[in-house]
Amino acid sequence: SETHMATFLSLLLPDFVVDVERRWEQIADDVPLVVGGAPDGPGKVVAACRAARARGVRPGQPLREAARLAPEARFVPGILDRYAEAASTLDELVR
């Protein structure tokens, strides 16, 4: 009988998004990062790094509220094509 081995890769999407943005924008690991748009914009937080989450920033929260909670954070818009490209690269590495 054949033995089948399955390998599973689990990614937490918010952490993946933050990591992609850090690399793309060359943002240091110690800088709080919020993905979703400008701090004074009308949008919502898509993802936030651990440091920003420790200050109370959460996905789905208005960006203005996130800026009040973490005024020192770097805010980036988040670009879907970046995540697709990074996921494709990751897929190639896993294969």
Side-chain angles (χ1 to χ4, degrees), residues 31-46:
V31 174
L33 178 61
V34 176
V35 180
D40 60 350
K44 305 263 184 190
V45 174
V46 172

Side-chain angles (χ1 to χ4, degrees), residues 34 36-44 62-68 70-71 73 75-76:
V34 176
D40 60 350
K44 305 263 184 190
L63 289 165
R64 289 183 175 135
E65 184 177 341
R68 183 182 54 77
F75 284 74
V76 297

Side-chain angles (χ1 to χ4, degrees), residues 17-33:
V17 167
V18 167
D19 288 344
V20 169
E21 290 298 338
R22 279 200 191 283
R23 280 182 170 250
W24 189 269
E25 297 289 339
Q26 299 178 352
I27 300 170
D29 287 342
D30 62 340
V31 174
L33 178 61

